[in-house]
Amino acid sequence: MSTFAIVDLETTGNALSKQDRMIEIGIVIMKEGKTVKEFSSLIFPEREIPPFITSLTGIKDEDLIHAPLFSEIAEDVYHLLKDCYIVAHNIEFDLSFLNEEFKRCGFSALHNKLIDTVELSRIFLPESPSFKLGQLAQLLHIGHDNPHRALSDAAVTADLLTILLTELEGLPERTLVHLLRLSDNLKSDMRSLIENAIEKNRYNHQVVDKFDIHYGIPIKKRRLNSKVTRDQQPPFSEWLHHAYEGKEGLQQIISRFETRDGQKQMSEAVYKAFKEKKHALIEAGAGIGKSLAYLLSAVHYAISHKERVMISTHTTSLQNQLLEEEIPRLEALVGRPLEAVLYKGKSHYISLLHFSYELERSYHDNYDISLTKSMILVWLTHTSTGDIDEIQLPSSGQQFWHKISSEASKNTKSVKQDPSSYWQWAEEKAAQADIIITNHSLLCLELISHEKKLPDFERLLVDEAHHLESVASRYFGIRLNYKELQRQLTQFNELFHPAVFKSLNVDVKKQLDHCSHYVEAAKEELNHLSRYLFRKVKSVRNNKQSKSDVGRVQYLLKESNDDKFVYTSYEMTNRFLAPIHSIKRETAALIEVLESIVTSDHNEEVQVLRQRLINHAEMCSTIIHQLESFFDLGGDKVKWIEIDVDGASNSIYLYSEPLDVADQLNEKLYATKKSVVLTSATLTTNGSFNYMKRLLGLETRDDLHELSIPSPYNYEQHVRLMVPNDFPSIKTETEEFIYSISEAIYSIAQVTNGRMLVLFTSYEMLKKTYYLLKEVAAPEEFMIFAQGISSGSRDRLKKNFQTFDQAILLGTSSFWEGVDIPGDDLSCLVIARLPFDPPDQPAQIMRDSRLKSKGLNPFMEQSLPHAILRFKQGFGRLIRSTTDRGIVFVCDQRLIEAKYGKYFISSIPEIPLTYQSTSKLVQDMEKWL
């Protein structure tokens, strides 16, 4: 039986190159699943402890005055570890510090067998939302009393290791055999552990019986859905009264449920639109409970009329809320399961046929691909859906997924009869569903695609509807970039390698040589084109040139632009497309060869290769179609190029969008569906739906119902709006304005103890403010997180912000909405500027020009209403529950002084407004809070 030494270190930092040292070590020795020895010691690091480390660990400089040097305990530690597996949560970090210290003390480096519990957690707990030790401990209900202290962390890691080894031993033999073939590429020395598990499970029928085998891969047994009987439903009015007023209704299901007139009103409006075959715009203020309101109507209509209802959202968080919170409540209300499914595109589901093909070709895999395959193998023994969103793949794993998704199998000959297709299982579930939940992207893809992307539906509820226009613009347009095109070409070349066709006994060397030649030619021409476009955009760069919200420089293509540049770009594009045409032609010849040797549907290797060639040919067609039209200017599309000035000199991004999508939405959506209900908390400007109607293509429809339901929150008691009157002008004193914002943020943070969200309209301003704040605020005072600077997604930044007591979060773009930080975590919302889109943005320039040509005022028709909607969305970040209270601090004096400022103020609830000097506002804020 193996002995494991589980190690954890606390250090002054994470960089040996900066002379960081250990300050504490904890070791747990484990044998036969039991702890047999523990060791821990503080260590004098011979340098000061940074404030951040003291804040994290609680260890201060004075705690280490009498602690031993590592050299004094080195021999004891060395002998403890000598003959064991060394285990750590991120083994490279701990082992590098240990070996550096041993080297300093004259000991040789340790070369023990290693186990990294981060890696093992990724493999054996692939659905975990995080692989940090504290969050894993929480997920697995492991007691963790003293996080960021060495012995406590080592003990938790020991418990985690026990769970991971139990997971390993519960896997079926075939999964273990596949893992064994991948294990030599991993950090952890797992070979003997896997071999022991194989021996143990070889004749274990209890394990075998839990799984089905498809293409040699064990997967969780599929449970066939029993058909739900659809009872006769009472009339809608009775159902609604029972839900909202009845003693066995929502009050029994939801603790502290209160009937809200607005919520009931919304339910009635949604049902009426569905029944009367009308479209509707419904604005529902924060706190209405709109998702439950429309689900009540949708569920009743679907069951009583035996007709599925489609619901589309913009964010996955709302989809999860509907499925995990709201639908179970309604199931409790109706007293039986509801058939509600989350419907995604084929690219979300794994193809076992293609995964099996890749497993057989693991000999050239790098670390990320071996880890990805290992994670997927274990996940397949857990998942009932085959939906990749259940797990977090490493970065290269995302590229690998393109090869093995069901999208890759769409033309496989036997796919219609494939009993292992997770995509087909999802289709079967959707066919029986009452409610189908999807996203705006798939909905818009359905509108533009010749191929069906969604099941048939006649009634649609669009939540977060203010996003529909921007998503539709993206799907009706073009988005291409150098990196993605290079990735496609690299994947082409991988398929054209002779070794791929070696086992098929066909002579395709000539075609493969041609294909490889054309791919290399395409790569070279793409590089020339990208460098030319990059140089051109960079050469016209000036202080006034527009930038995207992530800081990329933008160049608008217009008919009045440099004709020579457009002509040269067009010619270079055609030079790039010439080898793409040739690849497409040669790929067709290869497909013909494979067609001639397909003897049966069981020739799996031929099926996979044939499908991949078809996919590559289709990709060539898409690239050709998109690029041939890109430099053809004029028409009703806006086209522009973006570059990252500080990035690689060939890193370019090409964008094309229609100037508006109103006609397409009207023609392809409202005219084809019996009822479309669009809802959001922000649909009106200055009390009118006119702007949103024009944007969404509803302006000319006479079958439209409009309803605005105000928020039930008591904003007057819970919110204060403050505007400083002493800020410099941003137009004439930009740097001074940014200094003033930084000073105001810091002053306010001292009153609110951080707990502040700051919203910017410019990434450049955010970046400058962030670095100014880092100079002013000491690390022990405030943790400062910034979108695009601090690492992590929007959700990760939000979680980090909530983790620390005194934190400031700076955001732009997506942070203006969809970020819920309820309760005491957020006390102040700072809005740096009124959220007008910069007038120099490519789409804005072209849309303004179009409105002017029609004799309209672009500011009043487009810029102002759009800014008001974003202002409302930003304002909505502060109050997310009835008990929330806080300050909205707007650093833009135009809110008070400009004629249009009143439109912003009238579009939010009535709240007390103060317009004074910054210092006076901070004093007032301190009193009120």
Side-chain angles (χ1 to χ4, degrees), residues 48-287:
E48 288 185 353
I49 303 174
F52 174 75
I53 298 298
T54 295
S55 171
L56 192 69
T57 63
I59 301 172
K60 307 181 187 73
D61 286 314
E62 51 265 36
D63 297 330
L64 304 181
I65 291 170
H66 301 295
L69 295 166
F70 185 78
S71 57
E72 296 175 56
I73 60 169
E75 190 170 356
D76 291 339
V77 172
Y78 199 85
H79 285 296
L80 264 179
L81 302 178
K82 196 175 177 186
D83 298 315
C84 308
Y85 274 91
I86 298 179
V87 182
H89 203 68
N90 187 2
I91 190 72
E92 289 170 337
F93 174 85
D94 295 88
L95 191 63
S96 62
F97 269 87
L98 273 171
N99 278 334
E100 183 65 23
E101 291 289 359
F102 283 136
K103 182 178 161 187
R104 201 176 270 126
C105 299
F107 288 86
S108 55
L110 293 166
H111 296 289
N112 303 39
K113 288 185 175 180
L114 307 174
I115 296 287
D116 183 358
T117 51
V118 174
E119 180 181 71
L120 261 62
S121 297
R122 297 197 78 156
I123 295 170
F124 298 117
L125 304 171
E127 296 100 327
S128 174
S130 167
F131 300 102
K132 290 186 175 177
L133 187 62
Q135 284 157 325
L136 283 167
Q138 195 174 357
L139 179 76
L140 299 168
H141 308 293
I142 301 171
H144 196 187
D145 302 328
N146 209 356
H148 301 295
R149 292 305 299 265
L151 188 59
S152 176
D153 283 354
V156 170
T157 306
D159 290 340
L160 173 61
L161 177 65
T162 303
I163 291 168
L164 294 169
L165 294 177
T166 303
E167 290 289 328
L168 167 67
E169 290 171 0
L171 291 170
E173 182 186 351
R174 288 204 197 188
T175 299
L176 291 167
V177 169
H178 285 305
L179 286 173
L180 191 63
R181 290 169 62 188
L182 296 165
S183 63
D184 290 342
N185 256 358
L186 301 175
K187 296 177 196 171
S188 303
D189 294 294
M190 290 168 55
R191 175 165 285 277
S192 60
L193 300 175
I194 295 171
E195 286 171 343
N196 290 340
I198 289 172
E199 283 301 312
K200 193 178 285 189
N201 286 350
R202 181 153 285 159
Y203 307 107
N204 188 338
H205 294 293
Q206 283 184 322
V207 171
V208 173
D209 291 344
K210 292 179 184 176
F211 306 100
D212 290 324
I213 308 287
H214 293 284
Y215 302 109
I217 302 168
I219 67 170
K220 182 181 177 181
K221 273 192 185 294
R222 182 186 175 198
R223 286 185 184 172
L224 295 173
N225 291 340
S226 52
K227 190 76 173 173
V228 175
T229 55
R230 287 172 167 76
D231 309 324
Q232 189 65 35
Q233 294 299 306
F236 182 68
S237 57
E238 286 182 32
W239 155 264
L240 213 58
H241 180 79
H242 165 66
Y244 285 121
E245 315 289 345
K247 289 182 180 177
E248 296 182 354
L250 293 170
Q251 356 184 334
Q252 188 180 38
I253 297 161
I254 303 172
S255 62
R256 296 195 298 277
F257 177 78
E258 295 175 10
T259 303
R260 302 167 199 158
D261 291 340
Q263 191 175 31
K264 189 175 180 184
Q265 189 183 1
M266 183 172 182
S267 294
E268 290 168 339
V270 171
Y271 192 83
K272 184 179 180 185
F274 283 169
K275 192 173 182 186
E276 295 179 359
K277 300 178 184 175
K278 291 198 171 182
H279 305 311
L281 275 170
I282 302 175
E283 181 178 68

Side-chain angles (χ1 to χ4, degrees), residues 294-319:
Y294 64 65
L295 276 174
L296 277 163
S297 307
V299 164
H300 187 279
Y301 191 91
I303 294 173
S304 57
H305 291 79
K306 296 181 174 58
E307 178 191 321
R308 71 170 66 95
V309 173
M310 185 74 67
I311 294 173
S312 179
T313 77
H314 181 60
T315 56
T316 53
S317 57
L318 180 54
Q319 291 177 347

